[in-house]
Amino acid sequence: MPLTETQWSPTEEKIVKTAFDTAYRREVASMMAEVKRQAEAATSPDELWKLHDFLSARRHYLDGKYDSRDSMLIFVFAQLVKEGWLEIGELAGLSPDKIAKVKALTLV
Amino acid sequence: MPLTETQWSPTEEKIVKTAFDTAYRREVASMMAEVKRQAEAATSPDELWKLHDFLSARRHYLDGKYDSRDSMLIFVFAQLVKEGWLEIGELAGLSPDKIAKVKALTLV
């Protein structure tokens, strides 16, 4: 195991899971609102296929983005904070160095 | 050109196009109603992905089914009549042998 790998305590793992699920739920809720809007407005086959393309792209994007491997979490959290799906305060309870890393990455 | 290939007169080609478009519009309208229903009812990510799967499957199915190659039209029309997207009367103006072929194929 490389020395640089981030270690997560059992308490931190619970915080991670909650934060991950919260951000995912928010992002999907936003996407769901857009899907409902597009579906309601659709009047032609082309608009249906556009909705299909939108769903395909978002599903693929979310599958790749919500990468729950330990080594990726800091990066994923930083992205979620930058995009507004998560607040840094919702990571409270993680070790100060992890919080600092997430904060630093939100600035780049 | 094989002797068995079906020939279509310019008048028949117009009837074919109208019938094809009519059936397609009806089938897509039915699909659209189902998409709107699923989108409106969706409350979870799984239901969104189910809607995506439904759209993927129907789009693929329709792309394959509405095959406008001359050699396929008799078969496509027979299928559309069987499924209720087209009425045999909407093919009026095609030669009697073509109508007879479509009718015969709706029975198999």
Side-chain angles (χ1 to χ4, degrees), chain B residues 73-79 81-82 87-92 94-108:
Chain B
L73 285 173
I74 294 287
F75 299 97
V76 177
F77 283 141
Q79 188 179 357
V81 170
K82 275 172 87 169
E87 297 199 25
I88 195 81
E90 293 176 301
L91 296 175
L94 299 186
S95 66
D97 65 307
K98 294 191 185 78
I99 302 276
K101 280 181 190 169
V102 172
K103 276 186 181 165
L105 283 166
T106 62
L107 303 175
V108 295

Side-chain angles (χ1 to χ4, degrees), chain B residues 36-90:
Chain B
K36 286 173 189 279
R37 195 195 63 72
Q38 284 192 31
E40 197 180 351
T43 56
S44 70
D46 279 354
E47 285 168 312
L48 268 195
W49 308 146
K50 198 176 153 193
L51 170 59
H52 177 242
D53 290 341
F54 173 77
L55 271 164
S56 300
R58 298 301 294 177
R59 189 177 190 174
H60 180 73
Y61 173 72
L62 291 181
D63 278 353
K65 177 170 153 183
Y66 283 83
D67 186 337
S68 61
R69 286 175 294 172
D70 282 359
S71 59
M72 295 303 293
L73 285 173
I74 294 287
F75 299 97
V76 177
F77 283 141
Q79 188 179 357
L80 292 172
V81 170
K82 275 172 87 169
E83 292 174 352
W85 302 116
L86 200 64
E87 297 199 25
I88 195 81
E90 293 176 301

Side-chain angles (χ1 to χ4, degrees), chain A:
Chain A
M1 189 182 288
L3 284 174
T4 55
E5 188 157 322
T6 309
Q7 302 293 317
W8 304 84
S9 71
T11 304
E12 284 182 320
E13 281 175 0
K14 284 183 194 163
I15 294 164
V16 160
K17 184 172 176 357
T18 302
F20 219 71
D21 292 350
T22 301
Y24 184 75
R25 201 173 57 243
R26 285 175 187 153
E27 190 159 3
V28 169
S30 166
M31 180 191 165
M32 196 175 305
E34 175 59 18
V35 168
K36 286 174 190 278
R37 195 196 62 73
Q38 284 193 31
E40 198 180 352
T43 56
S44 71
D46 278 353
E47 285 167 312
L48 267 195
W49 308 146
K50 197 175 153 194
L51 170 60
H52 177 243
D53 290 340
F54 173 77
L55 271 163
S56 299
R58 298 302 293 177
R59 189 177 191 174
H60 180 73
Y61 173 72
L62 291 181
D63 278 353
K65 177 170 154 182
Y66 283 84
D67 187 336
S68 61
R69 284 176 296 172
D70 283 358
S71 59
M72 294 304 292
L73 285 172
I74 295 286
F75 299 98
V76 177
F77 283 142
Q79 189 179 357
L80 293 172
V81 170
K82 275 172 85 169
E83 293 175 351
W85 302 116
L86 201 65
E87 297 200 24
I88 195 82
E90 292 175 301
L91 296 174
L94 299 186
S95 66
D97 66 307
K98 293 192 185 77
I99 301 277
K101 282 180 189 169
V102 172
K103 275 186 183 168
L105 283 166
T106 61
L107 302 175
V108 294

Side-chain angles (χ1 to χ4, degrees), chain A residues 48, chain B residues 23-37 54 58 62 85:
Chain A
L48 267 195
Chain B
Y24 184 75
R25 202 174 56 243
R26 285 176 187 152
E27 190 159 3
V28 169
S30 166
M31 178 190 166
M32 196 176 303
E34 175 60 18
V35 168
K36 286 173 189 279
R37 195 195 63 72
F54 173 77
R58 298 301 294 177
L62 291 181
W85 302 116

